Amino acid sequence: AQTVTQSQPEMSVQEAETVTLSCTYDTSENNYYLFWYKQPPSRQMILVIRQEAYKQQNATENRFSVNFQKAAKSFSLKISDSQLGDTAMYFCAFMNTNYGGSQGNLIFGKGTKLSVKP
Amino acid sequence: GAVVSQHPSRVICKSGTSVKIECRSLDFQATTMFWYRQFPKQSLMLMATSNEGSKATYEQGVEKDKFLINHASLTLSTLTVTSAHPEDSSFYICSARDLTSGAFWGQETQYFGPGTRLLVL
């Protein structure tokens, strides 16, 4: 069974600085997706960034980028120029999918609570 | 991006009553929807997978007779908590799978509803 581990329950960063959130996962599959979701106090889950396992290039979305190390099964999220609105819970998630279709359910880590301080 | 709505956003009910929560994909068709449960300060726990036109698949430990799921159309799934008890109080979140056609893998993404806070008295 796949598992997702986020070893940092809480982190804080000063506004405008850079922070990296860690995530490791365990799977025997070769094809899968990885995601980072943000959950602000409103509790709405918001997709931050996604990575397809077959792509070697790390995904980037504006101030958010990932460091995907497939062999090490590591998927960290870097937030540059942190803003107060980045304060939220961040969940790393794994989705196993393969040609022919699968249920596509997400497996979540326990989350990292990020606080951006002014 | 795609939008998923949930209704109601919060509900308070008496113990023993049933509560229905709706999840709708507003601008795409979702052959698969998922229902999650989230306790305070915890992660999301998958309860069941809902496929349009077929029976839902429940995760181990989730009572299918208590949490009834119906996915009658490509844009609507419902979760009914039957004979609710205080321990069923939680935050329930649905998500819908948006699998666009084209590439070998498609653009696989799940979009989440805003959640429903259930309080059973």
Side-chain angles (χ1 to χ4, degrees), chain B residues 13-34:
Chain B
C13 69
K14 292 182 179 180
S15 185
T17 61
S18 294
V19 174
K20 180 184 284 189
I21 302 170
E22 293 186 347
C23 177
R24 293 181 184 272
S25 57
L26 298 185
D27 49 4
F28 66 98
Q29 293 183 330
T31 55
T32 305
M33 290 184 174
F34 303 90

Side-chain angles (χ1 to χ4, degrees), chain A residues 15-84:
Chain A
E15 194 176 8
E17 293 188 347
T18 296
V19 64
T20 298
L21 308 183
S22 301
C23 174
T24 58
Y25 58 95
D26 188 25
T27 183
S28 59
E29 300 293 332
N30 190 49
N31 299 320
Y32 48 87
Y33 290 95
L34 294 164
F35 303 85
W36 278 97
Y37 280 90
K38 167 184 177 181
Q39 188 179 41
S42 68
R43 304 191 78 172
Q44 169 75 60
M45 294 289 284
I46 300 167
L47 177 64
V48 175
I49 201 165
R50 50 176 279 155
Q51 174 82 42
E52 292 89 340
Y54 70 92
K55 289 186 177 178
Q56 293 185 340
Q57 186 174 8
N58 290 324
T60 300
E61 289 288 341
N62 301 314
R63 298 182 296 107
F64 300 89
S65 61
V66 298
N67 183 3
F68 173 49
Q69 301 291 325
K70 190 173 183 179
K73 297 179 182 175
S74 172
F75 183 62
S76 61
L77 173 70
K78 185 172 82 171
I79 306 175
S80 304
D81 186 25
S82 297
Q83 300 176 358
L84 296 177

Side-chain angles (χ1 to χ4, degrees), chain B residues 82-94:
Chain B
T82 62
S83 187
H85 288 95
E87 57 266 30
D88 298 324
S89 299
S90 188
F91 192 66
Y92 293 87
I93 307 175
C94 74

Side-chain angles (χ1 to χ4, degrees), chain A residues 31-33 35 37 39 43-45 47 50 54 91 95 97 99 102-106 108-110, chain B residues 32 34 36 38 42-44 46 49 51 57 91 93 97 104-110 112-114 117:
Chain A
N31 299 320
Y32 48 87
Y33 290 95
F35 303 85
Y37 280 90
Q39 188 179 41
R43 304 191 78 172
Q44 169 75 60
M45 294 289 284
L47 177 64
R50 50 176 279 155
Y54 70 92
F91 292 99
M95 179 194 293
T97 183
Y99 187 60
S102 71
Q103 294 285 34
N105 60 281
L106 290 166
F108 287 93
K110 291 188 175 182
Chain B
T32 305
F34 303 90
Y36 296 87
Q38 187 179 31
Q42 292 190 23
S43 188
L44 281 72
L46 179 67
T49 301
N51 291 299
T57 303
F91 192 66
I93 307 175
R97 188 180 182 190
F104 179 83
W105 283 58
Q107 295 299 309
E108 180 78 59
T109 300
Q110 278 190 38
F112 284 81
R117 188 180 302 277

